[in-house]
Amino acid sequence: MAIELGWKISQAKVKVLCVNRRLRKSLSITASATQSHCAMAVTPSTPLLSLLERLQETAFKTFGTSNFDPKTYVDLPLKFSLSVTEDAFQKLPRNASGSVPVEELKRFLEAYFGGAGDDLVHLDPRDFVPEPKGFLPKVKHPEVRVWALEVHSLWKNLSREISGAVKAQPHLHTLLPLPASVVIPGSRFREVYYWDSYWVIRGLLASKMYDTATGIVTNLISLIEEYGFVLNGARAYYTNRSQPPLLSAMIYEIYCSTGDVELVKRSLPALLKEYEFWNSDIHKVTILDAQGCTHTLNRYNAMWDKPRPESSIMDKAFASNFSSVSGKQQFYRALASAAESGWDFSTRWMRNPPDFTTLATTSVIPVDLNAFLLGMELNIAFFAKVTGDKNTAERFLEISDLRKKAMNSVFWNANKKQWLDYWLSSTCEEVHVWKNGHQNQNVFASNFVPLWMKPFYSDTSLVGSVVESLKTSGLLRAAGVAISLTDSGQQWDFPNGWAPIQHMLVEGLLKSGLKEARSLAEEIAIRWITTNYIVYKKTGVMHEKFDVEHCGEFGGGGEYVPQTGFGWSNGVVLAFLEEFGWPEDRNIEC
């Protein structure tokens, strides 16, 4: 029986609606319709988060800026009830500036709170073995193989289970209870994250840790069942937003490795629910293109208009540049929506870069988000076919074809041979008329992400053009692909390179089958593996991001110090080594 879809695609057969060009000027929107379209959802906060944000602010005033991480304070579990803790907090002695004597605050923290991360328990994964059978057979270089096994062993360091205390008294924790064990990114990121999990799973599959990989998917499905979408991360303060929708891609990879049909069957209803979330009014945008055809595409749009609890101090400081309440709220939504994109932060979301206060994430229709949704549509069609649901399979193939056409119409730039983000004039129109000059002409690695999807990498002629564009884009650097060409001081800008971007581009190039594309893919992978290896040998740890301008240097910038661990970096290194190997006679040096 076909699964019922909970959203309206069309009353009739799905098709592209092309409007007569003479009607374009009549598409003015009434004030009431505009106001309705501008109504923005806001997830309510909780009393626990309110207390922890005030604690964060007090700690900042008391301890100062040195080594201060605001996230620490919203991760603290309570030892006593909220009312008892709140009462004790109110009784702390304060001076006129709101600070508390240092020793007083330290005693209070020790008495009333556990440590950040104490509500997770280290776990030895049952499916971990020191050297799995068939592990990275193409890696012949002895030193690289030793390193690869050390990276493989890091899964033990990053594996956790949620403590019994969280499940028994969830109201004392911002950590959310989950049914299965978790793999965290590392360092300050001591909880599950959505899009990180895709590359963690790719590494786990290379490590033959199928049960752990499936457990991650089980956790993310549980979030959909509870909240209607996969949260940014498994914390109470992340319930206002998601992250790039890659759950279907995770399930696809596990299915390809294990043939687990039962996983597909139990995942499909959750994926349909997640798809409904991403196609709700807050994320959906209608564009009338130059040919008079309407297209539906999607954007990031967090359900939040306040400071992010995990970064409240910094958010308020930047928002002080706005005089009006509505200006601050708009900026807070842009901040949270950039976090939803995974690219927090980048000049990509700024109207006047590098001015951080011009962040306007919800005014951007992003290339990569729509590529991910295209992949999701194709995966749902595939899963429906596997489970025998022919109607749903056919419907999602039709929907995916519409998205491909929309992406070509709105994003593709024939001169640059790239897909470019599109800037909206206003977020308050029901139908946005495509305007020449609204494509973002700046070069970002995301301009090439559609190549990761089959409808694009299977087009040999297109791939040839995109390969030439990538080669001449300026993004290819000594140690991999740069995220952008703008050195703004933000972490999702030059000179940083990130594991997910390297992997998506390399895999897309590889799957095209084009000889020139495969050669470029291997070249990028070799550079990336090399810089990861050299940095690991220098520092003894794997890093979150890397300086691709200089081989053997980790990345920096942004609102927190460089992090180590690190889930997706480990996963991409293992995936690259599984695909390309490392010959015994190839040196590994910068």
Short mmCIF file of all heavy atoms in Angstrom, two decimals, residues 212-239:
data_model
loop_
_atom_site.label_atom_id
_atom_site.label_comp_id
_atom_site.label_asym_id
_atom_site.label_seq_id
_atom_site.Cartn_x
_atom_site.Cartn_y
_atom_site.Cartn_z
N THR A 212 27.43 -0.06 15.22
CA THR A 212 27.56 1.32 15.72
C THR A 212 26.97 2.32 14.73
O THR A 212 26.28 3.26 15.12
CB THR A 212 29.04 1.65 16.00
OG1 THR A 212 29.54 0.75 16.99
CG2 THR A 212 29.20 3.06 16.51
N ALA A 213 27.23 2.08 13.44
CA ALA A 213 26.68 2.96 12.41
C ALA A 213 25.15 2.93 12.43
O ALA A 213 24.50 3.97 12.35
CB ALA A 213 27.21 2.55 11.03
N THR A 214 24.58 1.75 12.55
CA THR A 214 23.12 1.61 12.58
C THR A 214 22.54 2.27 13.82
O THR A 214 21.46 2.87 13.78
CB THR A 214 22.72 0.12 12.52
OG1 THR A 214 23.27 -0.46 11.33
CG2 THR A 214 21.22 -0.05 12.50
N GLY A 215 23.27 2.18 14.95
CA GLY A 215 22.83 2.84 16.18
C GLY A 215 22.70 4.34 16.03
O GLY A 215 21.78 4.97 16.58
N ILE A 216 23.62 4.96 15.28
CA ILE A 216 23.56 6.40 15.03
C ILE A 216 22.27 6.75 14.30
O ILE A 216 21.56 7.71 14.65
CB ILE A 216 24.79 6.87 14.23
CG1 ILE A 216 26.07 6.74 15.08
CG2 ILE A 216 24.62 8.30 13.75
CD1 ILE A 216 27.35 7.00 14.32
N VAL A 217 21.95 5.97 13.27
CA VAL A 217 20.72 6.20 12.52
C VAL A 217 19.49 6.02 13.41
O VAL A 217 18.53 6.79 13.35
CB VAL A 217 20.67 5.25 11.30
CG1 VAL A 217 19.26 5.17 10.72
CG2 VAL A 217 21.66 5.72 10.23
N THR A 218 19.52 4.99 14.26
CA THR A 218 18.42 4.77 15.20
C THR A 218 18.18 5.99 16.08
O THR A 218 17.04 6.41 16.31
CB THR A 218 18.71 3.54 16.08
OG1 THR A 218 18.83 2.38 15.25
CG2 THR A 218 17.63 3.31 17.12
N ASN A 219 19.27 6.60 16.55
CA ASN A 219 19.15 7.81 17.37
C ASN A 219 18.52 8.96 16.60
O ASN A 219 17.66 9.68 17.12
CB ASN A 219 20.52 8.23 17.89
CG ASN A 219 21.06 7.30 18.95
OD1 ASN A 219 20.30 6.70 19.70
ND2 ASN A 219 22.38 7.18 19.03
N LEU A 220 18.94 9.16 15.36
CA LEU A 220 18.43 10.28 14.58
C LEU A 220 16.96 10.07 14.22
O LEU A 220 16.17 11.02 14.22
CB LEU A 220 19.27 10.47 13.31
CG LEU A 220 20.77 10.76 13.55
CD1 LEU A 220 21.48 11.02 12.22
CD2 LEU A 220 20.97 11.95 14.48
N ILE A 221 16.58 8.83 13.97
CA ILE A 221 15.17 8.52 13.72
C ILE A 221 14.34 8.83 14.96
O ILE A 221 13.22 9.36 14.87
CB ILE A 221 15.00 7.05 13.29
CG1 ILE A 221 15.56 6.85 11.89
CG2 ILE A 221 13.53 6.63 13.35
CD1 ILE A 221 15.61 5.40 11.44
N SER A 222 14.89 8.52 16.13
CA SER A 222 14.15 8.80 17.37
C SER A 222 13.90 10.29 17.56
O SER A 222 12.87 10.70 18.10
CB SER A 222 14.91 8.24 18.59
OG SER A 222 16.01 9.06 18.95
N LEU A 223 14.82 11.13 17.07
CA LEU A 223 14.62 12.58 17.15
C LEU A 223 13.48 13.02 16.23
O LEU A 223 12.68 13.89 16.59
CB LEU A 223 15.91 13.31 16.80
CG LEU A 223 17.07 13.15 17.79
CD1 LEU A 223 18.34 13.79 17.26
CD2 LEU A 223 16.72 13.74 19.15
N ILE A 224 13.40 12.42 15.05
CA ILE A 224 12.28 12.73 14.15
C ILE A 224 10.96 12.33 14.79
O ILE A 224 9.97 13.08 14.75
CB ILE A 224 12.45 12.01 12.79
CG1 ILE A 224 13.68 12.51 12.05
CG2 ILE A 224 11.20 12.19 11.93
CD1 ILE A 224 13.98 11.78 10.76
N GLU A 225 10.94 11.16 15.40
CA GLU A 225 9.72 10.68 16.04
C GLU A 225 9.29 11.59 17.19
O GLU A 225 8.10 11.76 17.45
CB GLU A 225 9.92 9.24 16.52
CG GLU A 225 10.04 8.25 15.37
CD GLU A 225 10.51 6.87 15.78
OE1 GLU A 225 10.98 6.71 16.94
OE2 GLU A 225 10.41 5.94 14.96
N GLU A 226 10.26 12.19 17.87
CA GLU A 226 9.95 13.05 19.02
C GLU A 226 9.66 14.50 18.60
O GLU A 226 8.74 15.13 19.13
CB GLU A 226 11.12 13.03 20.00
CG GLU A 226 10.94 13.90 21.23
CD GLU A 226 9.86 13.42 22.18
OE1 GLU A 226 9.56 12.20 22.16
OE2 GLU A 226 9.31 14.24 22.92
N TYR A 227 10.45 15.03 17.64
CA TYR A 227 10.37 16.46 17.33
C TYR A 227 9.86 16.77 15.92
O TYR A 227 9.58 17.92 15.61
CB TYR A 227 11.75 17.11 17.50
CG TYR A 227 12.27 17.01 18.91
CD1 TYR A 227 13.15 16.01 19.29
CD2 TYR A 227 11.86 17.92 19.89
CE1 TYR A 227 13.62 15.90 20.59
CE2 TYR A 227 12.31 17.83 21.19
CZ TYR A 227 13.20 16.81 21.54
OH TYR A 227 13.65 16.70 22.84
N GLY A 228 9.79 15.76 15.07
CA GLY A 228 9.34 15.98 13.70
C GLY A 228 10.45 16.24 12.72
O GLY A 228 10.22 16.35 11.51
N PHE A 229 11.69 16.33 13.19
CA PHE A 229 12.86 16.53 12.34
C PHE A 229 14.09 16.13 13.13
O PHE A 229 14.04 15.94 14.34
CB PHE A 229 12.96 17.99 11.88
CG PHE A 229 13.12 19.01 12.99
CD1 PHE A 229 14.37 19.49 13.32
CD2 PHE A 229 12.01 19.48 13.69
CE1 PHE A 229 14.52 20.44 14.35
CE2 PHE A 229 12.15 20.43 14.70
CZ PHE A 229 13.41 20.90 15.03
N VAL A 230 15.22 15.98 12.43
CA VAL A 230 16.49 15.71 13.11
C VAL A 230 17.05 17.02 13.61
O VAL A 230 17.25 17.96 12.83
CB VAL A 230 17.51 15.02 12.17
CG1 VAL A 230 18.77 14.66 12.96
CG2 VAL A 230 16.92 13.78 11.54
N LEU A 231 17.31 17.09 14.89
CA LEU A 231 17.83 18.32 15.47
C LEU A 231 19.27 18.56 15.01
O LEU A 231 20.00 17.63 14.66
CB LEU A 231 17.81 18.25 17.00
CG LEU A 231 16.50 17.83 17.69
CD1 LEU A 231 16.65 17.96 19.20
CD2 LEU A 231 15.34 18.66 17.19
N ASN A 232 19.70 19.81 15.09
CA ASN A 232 21.10 20.19 14.89
C ASN A 232 22.02 19.27 15.70
O ASN A 232 23.03 18.76 15.22
CB ASN A 232 21.25 21.64 15.32
CG ASN A 232 22.65 22.22 15.13
OD1 ASN A 232 22.79 23.40 14.91
ND2 ASN A 232 23.70 21.44 15.24
N GLY A 233 21.65 19.04 16.95
CA GLY A 233 22.39 18.14 17.84
C GLY A 233 21.46 17.71 18.97
O GLY A 233 20.37 18.26 19.14
N ALA A 234 21.90 16.74 19.73
CA ALA A 234 21.03 16.14 20.75
C ALA A 234 21.09 16.91 22.07
O ALA A 234 21.48 16.37 23.12
CB ALA A 234 21.38 14.67 20.96
N ARG A 235 20.73 18.18 22.02
CA ARG A 235 20.64 19.05 23.20
C ARG A 235 19.33 19.81 23.16
O ARG A 235 18.80 20.13 22.08
CB ARG A 235 21.78 20.07 23.21
CG ARG A 235 23.15 19.49 23.52
CD ARG A 235 23.39 19.39 25.01
NE ARG A 235 24.70 18.79 25.29
CZ ARG A 235 25.11 18.45 26.50
NH1 ARG A 235 24.33 18.68 27.55
NH2 ARG A 235 26.30 17.92 26.67
N ALA A 236 18.83 20.18 24.32
CA ALA A 236 17.58 20.93 24.41
C ALA A 236 17.66 22.26 23.68
O ALA A 236 16.66 22.75 23.15
CB ALA A 236 17.21 21.14 25.87
N TYR A 237 18.85 22.85 23.62
CA TYR A 237 18.98 24.16 22.96
C TYR A 237 19.11 24.06 21.45
O TYR A 237 19.22 25.07 20.75
CB TYR A 237 20.14 24.98 23.55
CG TYR A 237 21.48 24.28 23.65
CD1 TYR A 237 22.29 24.10 22.55
CD2 TYR A 237 21.94 23.81 24.89
CE1 TYR A 237 23.53 23.48 22.64
CE2 TYR A 237 23.17 23.20 25.01
CZ TYR A 237 23.97 23.04 23.89
OH TYR A 237 25.20 22.42 24.00
N TYR A 238 19.07 22.83 20.91
CA TYR A 238 19.10 22.64 19.46
C TYR A 238 17.72 22.29 18.88
O TYR A 238 17.63 21.95 17.69
CB TYR A 238 20.09 21.54 19.08
CG TYR A 238 21.55 21.91 19.23
CD1 TYR A 238 22.48 20.96 19.67
CD2 TYR A 238 22.02 23.17 18.91
CE1 TYR A 238 23.83 21.27 19.80
CE2 TYR A 238 23.37 23.49 19.03
CZ TYR A 238 24.27 22.54 19.47
OH TYR A 238 25.60 22.85 19.58
N THR A 239 16.68 22.36 19.69
CA THR A 239 15.35 21.97 19.21
C THR A 239 14.74 23.00 18.27
O THR A 239 13.65 22.77 17.73
CB THR A 239 14.39 21.72 20.39
OG1 THR A 239 14.31 22.91 21.18
CG2 THR A 239 14.86 20.56 21.25
#
